[in-house]
């Protein structure tokens, strides 16, 4: 990547101007990534003699929000509060300055005038506007700064939504834009789409039109809101919250603002007649019912009951309507062509509703693609990353048969069924796309401006994204070199030019659970790696890492032979994690998503873990009435002793053991990889990556580097345990929890088993034990609980309902 004099070599510090919802959460995500942040807002007395009251309150609020914008709450203290009256000098050390104040052109321009004299000469300046003209905003900057200015539109919430739209002006320096994109992709973990400087850019332009289409057809077909959400949620390959619940979460006033932007700034859009705020939405806003933030919008919660608005009656009524079975069956069809044809051909109102909604988005996307994006790729990725769609509109259209769908759209236009009589553009009905029936091909995605397929970005940062998903028609994301494959596991290596001397093993079970065959497959992978490779990486081709032991696979053994029949399976899992720990090649676990129970136990016994920020790691066995049985107890005891020896050798071991006991006894699952590091399931030496698609790249290189450094497995050694005195102390605390009603009698019994095992059993404090001793205690506690009818009741309940049973 080439950089110019005006692009900072490194982005060392970021300034965010505006401590509102978006600004504060952008700042939070920067500190999640380890990037120092200065958060600015207006000067206002903070009650302690300073003027950072607005920012201080915003930072405090970050710790309370759910979903949490911070990987761990303590990161809030790393955000430097600042105000425009006293602290502009801090901008001199900031390489990126992001403006994120209210959507008022005049306010933004006034702020730029104030900031300009204090900016670092090489700083990148960007606006987080959701739809205002970037070119108009740039005019408030001195000419000498305009080449360093662009739009950088984060989607809400910034930690969890991948999409960032990058919008240049005609003056924006290309090398600077490349530099910023690289930072956003690799350091902040974002999916970047470059958009043209048009109102609402790409994501909101297409997404909000789609919402307006849903509003229109909801009324036309007379469907209740919860039914529409059921139809337009996961069944349609979209966010679980559907349409109306999502609107409530986003904020109805925010949605109305974006709709108004489209109406006011797109006077010539052929669909403009439908760009008004729907009357039902306007009425809710008028009443102050703005959605989740006011606890009432299209839905309202009373006690445990979810009510939905009945617009005809003007009041909230019980909700609960779901899609009809006929439509559910259509949506279960895996073949996209058959599924869309069935929706189109069906006379069922719910199917016709879905066809109309999809058709409208196809129609609008085709009409405006050339205006808003460089190619079909940017539009599809914006809808996937910004709105949680499994497939973009052009992907669905292409997969269902380009010509057939185009003919259906044209028929509906001619029949007056569409929201506009605008014809499909020529590129969609003739020429290259019509001949190939594809907008996405292995060569690239179609660009109306170029009248050709344009390839993906060639920025070096994207070479790190091994196996990143490809759009429909682009071909497979990854073609592994298969070394061994059976029904349970896949052993493989990366294709050239990636390292060929690192073996990878992936699981083929649902949720990547650890069945007995998977356990044997992992051991076989270690054997292969020791014979022919430098290192081994345990990595899945998709999330999650592993949801733990496969209870259903163990059930036949238990049903036929009881607890004794399960003991060999448990021993085999313990042997597997010990095989990983003492393998003669370094083993690295590439963790993303859930790593629960046995998945956690597997990862903690590897030489190293590389984890995506959104990794949710924990030993959760107590939820089904068990203790961790595949080395989790042994790891907890050994790790507590290691931490004590490293940090405070003279401190009581109980101080370190109790944290692990509490984590296991409460089935604590980390809310991020950063929190997993706090709990102890990740170490400071374990890399945390921000971009999920870089996980494999980093993990393979981490494994190769360990091998190059002459890695040797740890020497088996005895370690101290807390013993009977610690058990007594912990039991006393558990008694208090039981008396207080926080845990049941059986919860107490399970937690007592956890404490006894992690403390090493009935031995003197500080007694030295080995792993064999701990593994035996772990097995005895696991099998003893498995024989208890209350544990069996919990397991049966989970298998039948998918939910934990409290008894």
């Amino acid at each position: 990547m080439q950089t110019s004099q005006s692009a900072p070599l490194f982005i060392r510090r970021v300034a965010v101007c505006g401590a509102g919802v978006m600004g504060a959460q952008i700042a939070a995500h920067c500190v999640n990534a380890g990037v120092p942040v200065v958060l600015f807002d207006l000067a206002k007395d903070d009650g302690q003699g300073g003027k950072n009251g607005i920012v201080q309150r915003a930072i405090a609020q970050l710790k309370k929000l759910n979903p949490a914008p911070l990987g761990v709450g303590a990161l809030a203290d790393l955000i430097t509060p600042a105000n425009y009256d006293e602290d502009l000098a801090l901008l001199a050390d900031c390489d990126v300055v992001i403006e994120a104040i209210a959507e008022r052109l005049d306010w933004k321009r006034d702020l730029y005038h104030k900031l300009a004299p204090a900016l670092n000469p090489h700083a990148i300046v960007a606006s987080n506007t959701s739809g205002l003209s970037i070119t108009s905003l740039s005019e408030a900057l001195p000419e000498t700064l305009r080449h360093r200015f662009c739009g950088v539109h984060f989607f809400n919430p910034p930690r969890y939504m991948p999409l960032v739209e990058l919008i240049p002006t005609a003056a924006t320096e290309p090398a600077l834009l490349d530099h910023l994109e690289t930072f956003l992709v690799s350091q902040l973990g974002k999916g970047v789409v470059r958009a043209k400087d048009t109102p609402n850019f790409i994501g909101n332009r297409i997404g909000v039109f789609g919402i307006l289409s849903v509003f229109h057809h909801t009324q036309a077909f007379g469907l209740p809101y919860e039914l529409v959400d059921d139809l337009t949620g996961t069944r349609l390959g979209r966010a679980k919250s559907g349409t109306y619940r999502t609107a409530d979460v986003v904020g109805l006033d925010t949605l109305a603002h974006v709709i108004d932007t489209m109406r006011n700034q797109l006077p010539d859009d052929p669909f403009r007649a439908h760009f008004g705020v729907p009357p039902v939405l306007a009425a809710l806003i008028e009443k102050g019912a703005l959605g989740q933030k006011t606890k009432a919008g299209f839905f309202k919660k009373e006690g445990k009951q979810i009510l939905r608005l009945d617009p005809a009656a003007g009041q909230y009524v019980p909700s609960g309507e779901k899609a009809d079975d006929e439509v559910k069956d259509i949506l279960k069809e895996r073949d996209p062509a058959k599924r869309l044809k069935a929706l189109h051909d069906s006379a069922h109102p719910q199917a016709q509703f879905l066809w109309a909604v999809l058709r409208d988005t196809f129609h609008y996307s085709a009409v405006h693609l050339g205006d808003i994006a460089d190619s079909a790729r940017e539009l599809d990725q914006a809808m996937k990353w910004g709105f949680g769609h499994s497939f973009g509109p052009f992907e669905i259209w292409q997969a269902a048969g380009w010509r057939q769908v185009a003919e259906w759209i044209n028929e509906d236009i001619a029949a007056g069924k569409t929201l506009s009589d605008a014809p499909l553009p020529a590129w969609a009905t003739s020429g290259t796309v019509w001949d190939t029936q594809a907008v996405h091909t292995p060569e690239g995605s179609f660009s109306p401006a170029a009248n050709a397929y344009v390839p993906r970005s060639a920025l070096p940062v994207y070479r790190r994204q091994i196996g990143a998903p490809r759009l429909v028609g682009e071909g497979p994301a990854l073609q592994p070199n298969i070394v061994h494959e059976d029904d349970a596991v896949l052993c493989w290596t990366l294709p050239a030019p990636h390292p060929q001397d690192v073996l990878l093993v992936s699981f083929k079970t649902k949720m990547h659970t650890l069945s007995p065959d998977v356990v044997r497959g992992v051991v076989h992978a270690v054997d292969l790696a020791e014979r022919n490779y430098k290192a081994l990486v345990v990595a899945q081709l998709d999330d999650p890492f592993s949801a733990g032991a496969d209870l259903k696979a163990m059930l036949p053994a238990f049903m036929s032979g009881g607890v004794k029949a399960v003991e060999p399976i448990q021993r085999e899992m313990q042997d597997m994690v010990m095989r990983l720990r003492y393998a003669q090649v370094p083993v690295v676990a590439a963790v993303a998503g859930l790593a629960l129970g046995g998945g956690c136990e597997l990862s903690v016994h590897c030489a190293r873990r590389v984890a995506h920020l959104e990794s949710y790691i924990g030993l959760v066995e107590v939820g089904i009435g068990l203790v961790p049985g595949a080395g989790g107890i042994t790891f907890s005891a050994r790790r507590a002793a290691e931490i004590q020896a490293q940090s405070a050798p003279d401190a009581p071991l109980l101080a370190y053991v109790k944290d692990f006991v509490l984590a296991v006894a409460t089935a604590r699952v980390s809310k991020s990889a950063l929190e997993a590091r706090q709990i102890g399931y990740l170490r400071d030496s374990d890399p945390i990556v921000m971009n999920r698609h870089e996980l494999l790249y980093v993990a393979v290189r981490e494994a190769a580097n360990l091998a190059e450094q002459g890695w040797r497995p740890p020497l088996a050694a005895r370690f101290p345990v807390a013993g009977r005195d610690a058990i007594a102390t912990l039991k006393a605390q558990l008694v208090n929890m039981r008396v207080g009603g926080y845990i049941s009698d059986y919860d107490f019994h399970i937690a007592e088993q956890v404490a006894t095992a992690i403390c090493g059993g009935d031995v003197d404090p500080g007694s030295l034990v080995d792993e064999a001793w701990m593994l035996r205690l772990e097995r005895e506690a696991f099998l003893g609980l498995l024989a208890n009818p209350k544990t069996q009741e919990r397991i049966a309940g989970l298998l039948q309902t998918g939910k934990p049973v409290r008894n």
Side-chain angles (χ1 to χ4, degrees):
M1 180 181 69
Q2 303 255 333
T3 58
S4 75
Q5 261 189 330
S6 60
L9 290 176
F10 301 102
I11 293 175
R12 294 161 294 190
R13 186 182 300 271
V14 169
V16 178
C17 299
V21 172
M22 283 301 293
Q25 292 199 47
I26 291 169
H29 194 57
C30 287
V31 293
N32 284 339
V35 179
V37 181
V38 183
L39 181 59
F40 281 86
D41 212 302
L42 298 171
K44 190 170 182 180
D45 187 8
D46 61 10
Q48 298 178 356
K51 293 184 178 181
N52 290 325
I54 293 174
V55 178
Q56 295 285 17
R57 284 191 292 275
I59 292 172
Q61 184 66 18
L62 289 172
K63 300 178 183 180
K64 302 174 184 177
L65 292 177
N66 187 28
L70 293 160
V72 290
L75 287 173
D77 298 333
L78 302 182
I79 300 173
T80 301
N83 67 79
Y84 304 124
D85 288 359
E86 301 173 324
D87 302 314
L88 289 180
L90 295 175
L91 290 172
D93 293 326
C94 296
D95 300 305
V96 173
V97 178
I98 300 172
E99 169 270 304
I101 67 171
E103 293 288 84
R104 284 274 302 269
L105 192 62
D106 54 341
W107 290 0
K108 290 177 186 287
R109 285 176 168 174
D110 287 346
L111 179 61
Y112 296 171
H113 284 298
K114 184 178 291 186
L115 300 179
L119 292 172
N120 179 319
H122 303 297
I124 299 170
V125 185
S127 174
N128 184 57
T129 178
S130 60
L132 296 178
S133 167
I134 301 301
T135 300
S136 293
L137 288 172
S138 72
E139 292 168 359
L141 291 167
E143 267 193 61
T144 54
L145 296 180
R146 291 178 190 175
H147 68 289
R148 305 205 316 266
F149 182 75
C150 64
V152 57
H153 179 215
F154 288 79
F155 269 57
N156 189 24
R159 171 181 165 184
Y160 301 97
M161 296 305 294
L163 181 61
V164 172
E165 293 175 313
L166 204 53
I167 311 101
T169 70
T172 307
E173 187 177 316
L176 177 143
L177 214 61
D178 291 348
H179 192 57
L180 182 57
E181 181 170 349
T182 298
F183 169 75
L184 291 166
V185 169
S186 194
Q187 297 299 305
L188 297 191
K190 295 292 139 191
V192 172
V193 164
R194 296 203 187 186
K196 294 184 179 180
D197 188 10
T198 56
N200 288 347
F201 312 127
I202 301 174
N204 280 341
R205 181 77 174 269
I206 302 300
V208 172
F209 171 81
I211 292 171
L212 288 171
S213 171
V214 171
F215 282 6
H216 173 83
H217 294 297
T218 297
Q219 183 176 6
F221 285 93
L223 303 179
Y225 300 131
E226 77 274 20
L227 171 58
V228 171
D229 279 356
D230 189 45
L231 289 169
T232 60
T234 52
R235 297 187 195 281
L236 199 62
R238 297 184 176 183
K240 182 180 180 180
S241 51
T243 302
Y244 291 97
R245 177 62 185 145
T246 298
D248 275 353
V249 171
V250 169
L252 303 189
D253 52 341
T254 302
L255 176 59
H257 170 78
V258 180
I259 295 170
D260 281 337
T261 300
M262 291 177 71
R263 183 166 185 81
N264 296 335
Q265 298 189 30
L266 295 167
D268 299 323
D269 192 306
F271 295 79
R272 187 173 182 273
H274 296 278
F275 288 175
V277 175
V280 64
L281 180 58
L284 285 168
I285 294 170
E286 178 70 23
K287 291 193 299 185
L290 305 180
Q292 182 172 275
K293 58 190 171 186
T294 60
K295 302 187 178 176
F298 288 104
F299 297 97
K300 179 181 180 181
K301 189 173 183 181
E302 288 188 357
K304 294 185 178 181
Q305 189 176 23
I306 303 294
L307 305 178
R308 57 98 173 159
L309 179 69
D310 179 344
Q315 60 187 19
Y316 290 92
V317 298
S319 64
E321 288 198 48
K322 299 288 185 181
D324 285 354
D325 289 342
E326 178 184 334
V327 179
K328 288 180 187 176
D329 290 341
I330 292 174
L331 294 174
K332 288 176 184 175
E333 171 59 56
R334 288 181 170 271
D335 185 319
K338 291 180 180 178
R339 183 170 59 247
L340 201 62
K341 185 178 189 312
L343 290 174
H344 175 269
D345 294 349
S346 174
H348 195 292
Q350 295 175 18
Q352 281 297 292
F353 165 82
L354 288 174
W355 160 249
V357 166
L358 290 169
R359 175 207 64 213
D360 289 349
T361 301
F362 298 157
H363 187 192
Y364 193 78
S365 298
V367 168
H368 289 296
L369 174 60
D371 303 331
I372 65 176
D374 289 331
S375 78
R377 177 186 302 105
E378 285 77 30
L379 193 149
D380 276 347
Q381 292 287 31
M383 296 310 297
K384 294 168 76 168
W385 288 334
F387 285 81
H389 293 190
S390 298
F391 298 95
F394 289 129
E395 286 187 288
I396 299 170
W397 186 345
Q398 177 170 327
W402 188 269
R403 292 184 187 178
Q404 178 62 81
V405 175
E407 287 169 2
W408 288 337
I409 296 170
N410 279 330
E411 288 170 3
D412 282 4
I413 293 171
K417 293 181 179 180
T418 54
L419 299 186
S420 168
D421 61 2
L424 287 173
W427 67 260
T429 56
S430 63
T432 303
V433 169
W434 189 258
D435 292 341
T436 60
Q437 297 202 64
V439 290
H440 303 301
T441 69
E443 292 73 38
S445 296
F446 187 77
S447 165
N451 193 29
Y453 295 102
V454 296
R456 282 175 168 257
S457 170
L459 280 178
V461 69
Y462 292 111
R463 296 175 199 158
R464 297 168 59 90
Q465 297 192 359
I466 303 172
R470 290 293 185 259
L471 297 169
V472 166
E474 283 192 305
L478 182 67
Q479 292 182 307
N481 301 317
I482 298 174
V483 175
H484 164 81
E485 184 174 13
D486 56 36
D487 290 341
V489 301
L490 179 72
C491 295
W492 53 289
T493 62
L494 293 173
H498 303 292
Q500 305 288 294
D501 51 6
V502 176
L503 184 68
L504 297 101
V505 61
S506 306
F507 310 161
K508 297 169 72 174
T509 46
K510 184 178 181 181
M511 299 289 285
H512 305 132
T513 52
L514 293 162
S515 67
D517 286 341
V518 167
V519 169
R520 294 178 199 118
V522 171
V523 173
H524 180 61
V526 176
D527 293 340
L528 282 174
E530 288 180 339
R531 285 201 301 268
N532 302 317
Y533 299 90
K534 288 184 177 179
L536 174 66
V537 173
V538 184
Q540 312 303 353
L541 297 174
D542 54 16
D543 292 348
F545 178 72
S546 175
D550 187 346
L551 294 175
K552 287 185 179 179
M554 298 179 186
L555 194 59
F558 179 75
M559 296 299 291
S560 63
V563 171
K564 286 186 178 179
V566 174
E567 183 176 6
I569 299 174
Q570 191 203 0
R571 280 182 179 271
E572 210 168 10
M573 291 186 71
Q574 289 184 332
D575 290 345
M576 180 264 292
V577 299
M578 289 296 109
R579 186 77 175 87
L580 292 171
R581 176 168 168 78
Y582 294 108
Q584 296 304 302
V585 294
V587 183
V588 172
V591 180
L594 300 175
L596 304 179
C600 174
E601 291 171 301
L602 184 156
S603 70
V604 297
H605 283 89
C606 292
R608 191 82 88 242
R609 289 134 297 280
V610 175
H612 180 227
L613 176 71
E614 302 306 334
S615 295
Y616 312 113
I617 305 173
L619 297 170
V620 297
E621 287 83 354
V622 298
I624 53 169
L626 294 169
V627 299
I633 292 289
T634 301
F635 163 80
S636 298
R638 186 184 64 240
R639 186 65 187 133
E642 289 171 353
I643 295 172
Q644 182 221 27
Q646 292 164 2
S647 57
D650 297 329
L653 183 54
L654 175 61
Y656 300 91
V657 166
K658 69 178 182 181
D659 290 338
F660 283 97
V661 170
L662 186 63
V664 175
T666 60
R668 183 181 175 188
V669 176
S670 72
K671 295 182 177 66
S672 69
L674 295 168
E675 188 175 319
R677 186 179 276 168
Q678 282 189 339
I679 297 170
Y681 298 140
L682 294 179
R683 302 190 183 208
D684 290 343
S685 56
D686 293 333
I688 294 174
V689 300
M690 297 298 290
N691 194 306
R692 169 64 180 88
H693 303 314
E694 293 186 1
L695 183 68
L696 199 53
Y697 176 93
V698 177
V700 168
R701 277 154 182 76
E702 185 74 15
N705 287 340
L706 287 172
E708 290 295 327
Q709 293 164 17
W711 183 89
R712 294 286 302 168
L715 296 173
R718 296 194 300 167
F719 52 88
V721 289
R724 65 176 69 90
D725 291 357
I727 295 171
T729 301
L730 292 167
K731 281 177 68 175
Q733 295 176 1
L734 291 170
V735 168
N736 291 336
M737 294 178 67
R738 181 176 60 181
V739 171
Y742 296 105
I743 59 175
S744 69
D745 287 345
Y746 197 56
D747 290 331
F748 173 85
H749 176 63
I750 299 165
E752 182 183 22
Q753 297 297 307
V754 170
T756 300
I758 291 181
C759 290
D762 187 16
V763 296
D764 292 334
S767 294
L768 296 178
V769 302
D770 58 16
E771 287 167 333
W773 174 273
M774 293 302 305
L775 290 169
R776 176 183 61 79
L777 291 178
E778 185 177 282
R779 281 196 308 275
E780 290 173 354
F782 180 93
L783 296 170
L785 288 168
L786 184 60
N788 193 301
K790 283 188 175 290
T791 286
Q792 294 168 19
E793 183 182 332
R794 290 191 178 191
I795 294 172
L798 180 70
L799 292 175
Q800 290 168 11
T801 68
K803 297 178 181 179
V805 173
R806 309 313 306 161
N807 57 7

